[in-house]
Every structure is written in C-alpha cells, then in structure tokens.
Amino acid sequence: MTGILKKVALLLALLLMALLAAALWYRNASQPQIDGNLKLSGLNAPVDIVRDAEGIPHIYAKSTADAYFALGFVHAQDRLWQLELNRRIPAGRLSEILGPSALGTDRFLRTLGVRRNAERILANLAPETRAALDAYARGVNAYLENRSGPLPPEFILSGAPSPAPWHPVDSIGWQTMMAWDLGSNWTQELLRMRASQRLSLGQINEFLPPYPGDPVMVTQDYTKLYRELSGTTQQLAAVAAIAPPSYVEGMGSNNWVVSGALSETGKPLLANDPHLGLTAPALWYFAHLSAPGLNVIGATLPGIPSVVLGRNDRIAWGFTNTAPDVQDLFIERVNPANKKQYQTPDGWAEFKTRTETIKVKGQQDVTFDVAETRHGPVITGALPILDKAPLDAKKYVVSFAWTALRPDDMTLQAGMKFNQAQNWQQFLEAAKDFASPQQNMVYADVDGNIGFVAPARVPIRKPENDLKGLAPAPGWDARYDWAGFIPFDELPHQFNPASQRIATANQKIVGPDYPHFLTSEWTLPYRASRINQLLDARPKHNLASFAEIQKDYVSLAAQELLPILRNTVPKTDRAKEALDTLQGWNGSMDTNRPEPLIFNAWMRAASRQIFADELGEALMNDYWEQRNVHQPLVNVLKNKDGEGRWCADVTKPSPAHPQTCDELLSASLDLALSELVQRYGPEISKWRWGDAHVARSEHRPFGKVDALARFFDIRVPTPGDTFTVNVGRYNLRDEKEPFTSRHAASLRALYDLSNLENSRFIHSTGQSGNLLSPLYSNFTQRWSEVAYVPMKMRRDDVEKKRLGVLTLEP
C-alpha cells in the first residue's frame, strides 16, 4: 500500500511540475517579440521599433505609411484582446464570443448602425487619410498573419476564435464609439420623461436644476404628454438598460494652459487629464511615431492610427469634454392604418427598414428588423417584440438623432492632421474636420502662443422649439427639427487671451451673450474654480506646480455642504463623535483620513432620504448612476428650494407634524454611520477613505465575473471625489462598493513648451494588455501617486535602458 501511495505522490508531483512548466511556457510565449528582425509584407522600407524602459514603442520609419503600419503592428502585439473588442463592439458582434449576455448590446448597436455609418464615412475621407487607415490595417494584419505564440488569456478563457483581419472601417467605428462614450444627452431626456410619471414640471426643474447662476429654461409643460406615454417610457428605460454606458454627468476632464508671462521658463505650460471609465488595460496606449513630416508622441487608442492627445516638435494640445446637446429623442406616431408608416409634418412617410442577423454563441442566430425615420434609427426597435406591450407603445416608437451618425463625420481625419500641425492656423484648419464629440481643446506652441477652440457639429434648435432639446419631442412637429449646425467660426474659441491663461473642466465655457445654445447641462464648476484658485496662488508656474494642481484633492463641493452637516443635531454618541471629527476639516479627500468617508456616506444617505420617496426606487438608483446628487442637495438644504416638499415623506398620509429636513438629516447621519460601522468597524478614528475609495480598473468582460475579476481587474487606493481636480467618481447605486472610484484621470500629461523633451505623462495601468506581462499594471502605483514617466522623442534618450529594438523589414 505504501508503494502505491509513493507512486501516486510521484505522479502528482510530476503533474504539478508539468503544469508549472506549461504555465511558465505560456507566460513567456504569449509575450510580444521586442528584439531582432521580422520580414513582413506591406512595408516600403525597414522600421525600427525601440521599446523604452517603460515599454513605450518609439517608431522610427522612413515614411508616414510605414509609421502607421508599425503602430498597427504594436497595437496588435500589446493589446490584441482590446483590439478585438474595439472591432466587435461597433459592429454589434459581441454575442459571437460572449453569448446571450451580450445580445442586448449587440441589438442596440446594430439598431444604431454604427458600423454601417462608418462605411459611409470611409467613402468620404480624403485620399491621404484613407491611405493611413489602409497602412494601419496592414500593420495589424501583418501581426495576425505572422504571430507564432499563443493568443492572450482572454481568447482561451472565452473560447473566442483567432481575430479576423482588421479593416479601415473598424478604426472609424471605434472612433464613433469614443464619441458615444462622451455623450449621453438622450439619457437625460429619458430621465425627464421618467420623472414626469411622478413629478410636476416645477419639481423636475428643482430636482434637475440649471447650471449655477443660470435661470430655469422655460419649456412647455411636457409632463402631461409623457404620462400618456407611460408604456413608451418603460420601453425607453429598457432600451437604456441594454445600451453601452456613456458619459456620466459629473465625469469629465481637466486642461489648462498658461502663456510664458505666467511661467518660470517664459514659454507656455500645458496640462491635461481626461477623465474616463477606468479599464484594464487602460483605454490609452502611449506611442511615438517618427517619419519625414511626422514626429509626434502621446496617447493613442488601439484601433486608431494617430496620437489623440500629445505633442509634436512644435505644438502640444489637450482635450476636455464639452458635452453639448447633440442627441435628441423623437416620439414618432405610427400610422394606425399602416404600421409601415410614421407621421411627418408633411403627412405619412414610409419607415426605411433593413434586417439584421446576430450570431449568438451557443444559440441560434437572432434576426430582427431595424426601422429608420427622417430623424434616425428607431431605438425602441432594439427590444424584442413584446406581445403584451402597453397600447401607447404600439402607437408610438422613438427615434434617435445624433450628429455622429452622419456620413460626413471627419473626426478621425482631424486627429491625423493635429499630429502634423505646426502652428495655430494649421491646428484650427484641422479642427474644422472635427465633428464629434465636441471637445474643449487647449493649445500651446514653442513660439509662445496659447489658444482654445471647441470644434464640433452642434445642432441649431429653432426659436419656436419649446422643449429646448431637454426632453423627447413629437417627431411630427417641425418646430423640433434641427435647423442646421453652428458654423465653425461661431464656435467658442480664443487665441492669446489677455488673461494669459485658459482652463476648462467641463464647466460652462460661454457667457450669457453667446448667441447659440450648446447645452444646459454643464458639469458643476467646482473643479474649474479650484484650478483657477491654484493658478492664482503663484505669480509664475513650472511643471512641479502644475503636477501639484493635478494632484490636488480638496473638494469645494464638500466645503459648500459641510456647514449643513456640521449643524446636524446628533441623536447618538457615535453621531456626536463623527461631527466632532469633522470640525476643522477643509474638505480634503485624503486617503488616510476618516472625514471623507463620513461626509460621502452622509451625502449618500441624505440624498436617498430626501428624494427616493418622490422618485421611486428604480429611478432613484438610475439617478445615482447617471448624475451627481450634490446640486439638488444644495438647492434643497442650502437654497431652500422646495425644502418642505422634498423632506416630507410623500409615501405616508399627511401627519400633523410633517417630517422636517433637520430631522431627516439627523436620521441620515445615523444611517450612514451604521453602514460604515458594518463595513469598517466601530472605531471612527480607524476609518480610511482609501479603504472605500479604491480606483478599480475593470477588465472587459472578465470584471463582471468575480472569480476572474480578482485576477484581471487592477485596484489601488486613491484620494479625491467627483468634484476634486484629482477626480475619482463613484457609483452610489452600487450597494457593495458605493465609493469605489470608477471614473478618474485616465491619463495625465504635462507639456513644457520651452523644452518639449521635459514633458511627461502617465496612464492608469500599463502598456500591455496581457495579464501575465510585467507591463500589465506597472504604471498603476505611480498613477495613483500622481507621478509620471518621461515623454521623450530623441533617440539617444529613448535608447537608454531600452527593453529592446525590433526591426520590421519588407
């Protein structure tokens, strides 16, 4: 018996050794080749790819076509799974590899027709842009045709097949999805439509107030119409649930630039940190492209052949989201006598229709019809047909108008022109092609100039439009049709302003005399105000002071509500201790302190106590996910807008003594503290914001699977909140992790125009998308500490401590 046990133990040991050897082989074999020579078809001349000490590829080519080819090649080497998703998402082909769980998203994107529109855009691009897209696609495909190692882990774990060839239209499709990610006007229209089922127009205007200092926009009372369309409202809410997530109110970006008059070097300084959903790997991939007529470095997007944010030899630029109102929902009346027609101002018109077929892993194909109106695709058609649909949902459908779904969107072309621009006029000329999403672009050049422009295709709404784009409009009424687009020369812009500086943080960028409507839903101005405070704090700045601004985590929003919280009457000893802890706190969202945790938990509890009874559970949860609760709280608790109405409990019969806001706030503090005790223990002094406010870079799609998320997700404690310069937006709807940071500075960059080689940048994960690579998360800790890596282009500097040199040969 003992001999048998020894043999079994030996076999198990051998098996374990074999598994370890296989794992070691796979880890090594799945890494990209970064040294040596490769012969590839599609090149015109040899290209050197130098990987610097951080794994950033520096591409030295003899033509721009070969540089774009090499960029496609390294994107495929390092981010193949990300590229695969970036190809499948706009095409509505996730279900082929992820199964029925992705079917809703595929139906929605097929209904929008993102890839179909990308094909129309491709036909309209300039020849040089088309040539660049072709070269990039050849580079991706050269990697696919010549790779010898195993596919990344995601392909193996999901059972996905080897990637199909990349096509130029795939790049355009992904650019459109970036526009989607940065725009969600339609969800705010839906929010008002849903709120109309329970609230009056006056309550909606209090709950969804205008930008601070702006008057309430005068509209018709749309609540009666929407209450008659409760079934259609339910359908739209179901559509929103399957749509890919997009811009969240409160999420945004920062950029600022100062002229030489305000810098120690006598030349401009520029800073940029775009705030986006944190993913693993990061959305961004750093690269440097050098070729005759092209020398640019910065943040690229896998799938797109240009540096989106960065600098060349003469200029630097940075973006923040303007978030204009470029999406409208139209309620279309269906002809009761002919379901193939809908009503227009000129009578009945035929829907344009097409049939889409989606392949679903493990199931039969799904085929459905897509209808379009003169406004755009019918998005309620993305839902499976419901035989028991409410009557109004059979009488009406909802179409979707969006500026990005046009064949003349040349945004990708503009990006490639930015890379080669040498001065402000060339930068402006490139910006004329930039259609979507509108961005606040700050600019600086080595000659000392600074500038700002917000290019895009923004619709003009007619004076008689009494909904102002705030809510879904009757599609049969011509008052609500767009009347063209704002001319480029009339879009916001500045050049060498007298203030010697420009700063944007998604705040309102135009004054009351601006003649056009951009949006009514600007991000609250706390970040912008804090940036300007810190710029005012020094007569002249340097890169170190700019880095301190990017690192700042004092919340002006918290400072505004703190007096109300401090004046709350404590009902328990723990509440008294918590309030004593908050005395003297300045709103600094420090990872190592308990005060931010107490404040944010109180704000979460108070917002639910005040608003949930009026909104209902479902709408309250969606509101938490889509918008910030700060401004409604300020209006009710500080400005006293409808204080008694909101604090009373409308779910109970009118009592002799209605619940007051003071009573509710005391109860909210107790609720918040009880929850924190459950999570972090009874000792307030040991609570830490960083324990709750962990930045989570979520893997797609394995972040949704707990057993895999623990390996593929990347987590690190971070300071800040939604309104700090060093931002970290959380999702209050998440009961498990309500304060986990999910939207933050996806990258940070600082540019020194006195010597551009002094510039620096960082993004949130690492260059590799391979979990087994040492470059998968090597940026993360430095990113959390607001440290940087060099942004150098001189080859002598790049070669120092390089990881390897790979030469691609024809």
Side-chain angles (χ1 to χ4, degrees), residues 158-231:
S158 67
S162 297
W166 188 269
H167 297 286
V169 71
D170 297 322
S171 296
I172 302 169
W174 188 240
Q175 188 281 318
T176 304
M177 292 310 301
M178 287 304 303
W180 175 265
D181 194 52
L182 292 168
S184 67
N185 306 129
W186 77 286
T187 62
Q188 303 311 299
E189 291 186 26
L190 174 57
L191 190 62
R192 287 180 170 81
M193 193 174 185
R194 293 175 67 190
S196 296
Q197 309 302 313
R198 302 176 66 100
L199 305 178
S200 68
L201 181 62
Q203 287 176 299
I204 292 172
N205 288 335
E206 288 175 354
F207 181 63
L208 302 174
Y211 189 76
D214 283 0
V216 173
M217 293 188 69
V218 179
T219 67
Q220 65 157 290
D221 187 347
Y222 46 74
T223 57
K224 181 178 183 298
L225 169 64
Y226 296 153
R227 285 174 186 168
E228 295 172 355
L229 298 175
S230 60

Side-chain angles (χ1 to χ4, degrees), residues 92-389:
R93 294 183 57 190
L94 287 174
S95 300
E96 294 178 16
I97 58 173
L98 302 181
S101 63
L103 181 56
T105 299
D106 281 350
R107 288 183 68 110
F108 183 85
L109 290 168
R110 292 288 186 96
T111 298
L112 279 193
V114 173
R115 196 177 193 280
R116 290 171 59 88
N117 190 63
E119 292 170 347
R120 297 193 298 167
I121 292 173
L122 182 64
N124 291 326
L125 292 174
E128 56 270 24
T129 307
R130 175 61 187 264
L133 289 171
D134 287 339
Y136 177 85
R138 288 198 304 272
V140 174
N141 296 332
Y143 173 77
L144 296 177
E145 294 163 4
N146 291 276
R147 67 174 186 84
S148 56
L151 288 167
E154 292 91 339
F155 288 90
I156 296 169
L157 292 171
S158 67
S162 297
W166 188 269
H167 297 286
V169 71
D170 297 322
S171 296
I172 302 169
W174 188 240
Q175 188 281 318
T176 304
M177 292 310 301
M178 287 304 303
W180 175 265
D181 194 52
L182 292 168
S184 67
N185 306 129
W186 77 286
T187 62
Q188 303 311 299
E189 291 186 26
L190 174 57
L191 190 62
R192 287 180 170 81
M193 193 174 185
R194 293 175 67 190
S196 296
Q197 309 302 313
R198 302 176 66 100
L199 305 178
S200 68
L201 181 62
Q203 287 176 299
I204 292 172
N205 288 335
E206 288 175 354
F207 181 63
L208 302 174
Y211 189 76
D214 283 0
V216 173
M217 293 188 69
V218 179
T219 67
Q220 65 157 290
D221 187 347
Y222 46 74
T223 57
K224 181 178 183 298
L225 169 64
Y226 296 153
R227 285 174 186 168
E228 295 172 355
L229 298 175
S230 60
T232 302
T233 304
Q234 293 170 22
Q235 282 200 335
L236 265 178
V239 171
I242 65 172
S246 54
Y247 179 85
V248 180
E249 195 268 345
M251 180 182 72
S253 306
N254 305 318
N255 64 19
W256 63 93
V257 62
V258 300
S259 76
L262 299 181
S263 81
E264 293 180 359
T265 66
K267 290 288 187 177
L269 300 170
L270 189 151
N272 187 205
D273 53 292
H275 307 160
L276 296 164
L278 298 176
T279 62
L283 179 77
W284 303 105
Y285 178 91
F286 291 151
H288 166 209
L289 284 71
S290 177
L294 177 70
N295 195 29
V296 62
I297 187 172
T300 71
L301 292 168
I304 295 178
S306 66
V307 169
V308 180
L309 299 168
R311 60 99 171 175
N312 59 31
D313 292 323
R314 290 191 51 81
I315 74 168
W317 65 94
F319 296 174
T320 68
N321 201 22
T322 317
D325 191 344
V326 295
Q327 297 173 341
D328 276 351
L329 296 176
F330 288 91
I331 301 164
E332 311 283 10
R333 182 181 286 139
V334 178
N335 186 348
N338 183 352
K339 300 298 182 184
K340 297 181 179 180
Q341 295 181 332
Y342 67 100
Q343 189 176 6
T344 77
D346 300 319
W348 300 108
E350 297 280 334
F351 288 105
K352 293 181 180 179
T353 60
R354 67 177 188 273
T355 300
E356 295 281 351
T357 299
I358 300 173
K359 296 184 180 298
V360 184
K361 181 180 179 180
Q363 293 190 358
Q364 292 185 339
D365 295 353
V366 172
T367 299
F368 68 106
D369 293 330
V370 174
E372 290 187 16
T373 72
R374 65 196 185 94
H375 297 118
V378 174
I379 58 172
T380 44
L383 297 173
I385 295 174
L386 302 177
D387 294 333
K388 296 182 180 180

